[in-house]
Amino acid sequence: MKLADTELSYEDRQMVENNLMRDEELLWVGKPVPRLFSVGSVVTFLFSLFWLGFIAFWTWGAAEGGAIFACFSIPFWCVGLCLFLSPLWNLRTQKRTVYLITARRAMEVYPGLFGSVKSRVWPLEAGMVKSCTMRNDGSGDLVLGYEYRRGKHGTHTIPSGFMNVPDARRVEQFLYELTESHQAE
C-alpha cells in the first residue's frame, strides 16, 4: 500500500511519512471515528461545571471585598475553562490521529503541542490485542497495551491502542493473521 493512495490529508500523510522507517512497508492505515464525549471526558466536563459554578460564586463574594481580591480567582477560571473545553481539544486530537500497521509494527501517530508529533508503537507479536470492544456501528477499541500512571492514590492503568477505530473486528482479524504469519516465519 502506498501512502499516496490513502484518503489521508496532506498534513496527515506528512505526519505518517515522518514516522515510518526507511523501506517500511505500510499494510493498513485508518483514522478513529471522532467522538466528542467519552466516559473520561464526560466526568471532566461535569466536574468543570461544578468548578466554574463554585469559582463564579467565590469571585462574586471576593469582589465585594474589592476588585483586587476578585483577581485572585483568574488562575482558577483558567483551570475551569481548560477542563470545560477538554472534550473539544480531545475531538481535535482524534481528527488528526492516524493508526497504521506495517510489516514490523502497529503505530498511532497524533499531533502534540506546538506542532510536535507523537507516536505510540507496538511491535507485532502474537496476542498483541489485549481486548476488543465493539459498538453497534462496527467501530470499537482495540487495546494493544496499557500505560501505567502513578497518582496520589496509587498506580492505575490506562488502555492504549486503536481507539474508536472503524470496523474494529476486521482490523483485529488482520492483526491476528499478521502476527500468526510472523510467528510461523
Side-chain angles (χ1 to χ4, degrees):
M1 166 186 274
K2 292 183 180 177
L3 196 54
D5 296 337
T6 64
E7 295 180 7
L8 297 177
S9 68
Y10 176 76
E11 293 85 14
D12 289 347
R13 282 196 308 264
Q14 288 296 110
M15 190 170 59
V16 168
E17 193 172 282
N18 291 336
N19 280 279
L20 290 176
M21 294 181 200
R22 189 171 1 114
D23 299 328
E24 191 168 17
E25 183 184 359
L26 186 62
L27 303 176
W28 178 87
V29 64
K31 293 181 68 68
V33 176
R35 298 190 191 285
L36 181 60
F37 287 108
S38 64
V39 174
S41 66
V42 167
V43 171
T44 302
F45 180 77
L46 292 176
F47 177 76
S48 75
L49 296 177
F50 289 111
W51 178 275
L52 289 170
F54 174 76
I55 295 304
F57 177 75
W58 187 81
T59 304
W60 177 74
E64 289 183 357
I68 192 76
F69 291 115
C71 289
F72 283 111
S73 68
I74 291 174
F76 299 101
W77 279 105
C78 292
V79 168
L81 289 174
C82 287
L83 291 172
F84 182 78
L85 295 174
S86 66
L88 291 176
W89 181 261
N90 187 30
L91 182 67
R92 180 183 174 274
T93 302
Q94 287 178 47
K95 287 181 179 180
R96 290 287 318 277
T97 298
V98 179
Y99 300 131
L100 52 122
I101 300 172
T102 70
R104 300 178 187 172
R105 58 195 175 150
M107 186 169 24
E108 173 187 29
V109 182
Y110 57 99
L113 293 175
F114 308 113
S116 66
V117 176
K118 296 183 175 187
S119 64
R120 288 189 182 103
V121 177
W122 300 274
L124 294 180
E125 56 188 21
M128 70 181 292
V129 177
K130 308 300 185 227
S131 69
C132 179
T133 304
M134 297 289 296
R135 294 184 188 81
N136 292 338
D137 63 356
S139 68
D141 301 333
L142 293 176
V143 175
L144 304 178
Y146 296 94
E147 294 179 21
Y148 299 97
R149 297 205 181 151
R150 189 178 303 248
K152 187 167 69 173
H153 302 292
T155 303
H156 59 280
T157 58
I158 297 173
S160 63
F162 293 177
M163 303 302 179
N164 297 327
V165 69
D167 204 1
R169 189 63 67 200
R170 187 176 62 81
V171 177
E172 179 188 27
Q173 183 68 33
F174 180 69
L175 276 171
Y176 176 76
E177 291 169 0
L178 191 61
T179 55
E180 289 298 312
S181 69
H182 273 259
Q183 192 175 21
E185 291 176 359

